[in-house]
Amino acid sequence: QVQLVESGGGLVQAGGSLRLSCAASSSIFNFNVMGWYRQAPGKQRELVAVIISGGTTNYADSLKGRFTISRDNAKNTVYLQMNSLQPEDTAVYYCHAKRTFSGYWGQGTQVTVSS
């Protein structure tokens, strides 16, 4: 069973930065796509960013330029660097990993941005 463990969330003031980490229990080479999603209170879970096995990245249009997804293959870890955070970025952030016929979610990490 694959486990994804997120860390790095917390409370930050508007304009600040956080870096989230997602550590996988197996090699991230096993996954076609890894990504970050978020869910704010009362809202549906939405895509933040994904990184495909070849290294291509995609972002939600509204987050381009502020968020950066990256990975460290040696550490089996995917990161999300978040800059210029705003109160509307407040949400639980989830890591997701996808193989051809299966997908896995982490438990989520809370990010709260105060105004």
Side-chain angles (χ1 to χ4, degrees), residues 80-103:
L80 184 69
Q81 178 67 42
M82 306 185 293
N83 298 327
S84 301
L85 284 162
Q86 300 301 316
E88 53 266 34
D89 295 317
T90 294
V92 178
Y93 285 70
Y94 296 92
C95 180
H96 183 257
K98 184 180 182 301
R99 291 173 175 164
T100 303
F101 300 110
S102 57

Side-chain angles (χ1 to χ4, degrees), residues 1-97:
Q1 179 71 14
V2 173
Q3 291 187 327
L4 303 173
V5 179
E6 302 102 331
S7 61
L11 175 63
V12 64
Q13 289 188 333
S17 298
L18 284 174
R19 187 177 81 156
L20 306 183
S21 299
C22 171
S25 60
S26 66
S27 172
I28 60 176
F29 284 117
N30 294 331
F31 304 113
N32 299 329
V33 183
M34 295 192 73
W36 289 95
Y37 292 73
R38 68 183 183 183
Q39 188 166 18
K43 295 187 177 181
Q44 289 187 331
R45 192 171 298 189
E46 63 177 1
L47 172 71
V48 174
V50 295
I51 184 164
I52 302 170
S53 57
T56 302
T57 57
N58 285 303
Y59 298 89
D61 287 342
S62 62
L63 301 177
K64 287 180 181 177
R66 292 197 299 125
F67 288 16
T68 303
I69 189 170
S70 63
R71 68 186 184 197
D72 185 329
N73 295 331
K75 295 183 178 180
N76 295 324
T77 300
V78 174
Y79 302 99
L80 184 69
Q81 178 67 42
M82 306 185 293
N83 298 327
S84 301
L85 284 162
Q86 300 301 316
E88 53 266 34
D89 295 317
T90 294
V92 178
Y93 285 70
Y94 296 92
C95 180
H96 183 257

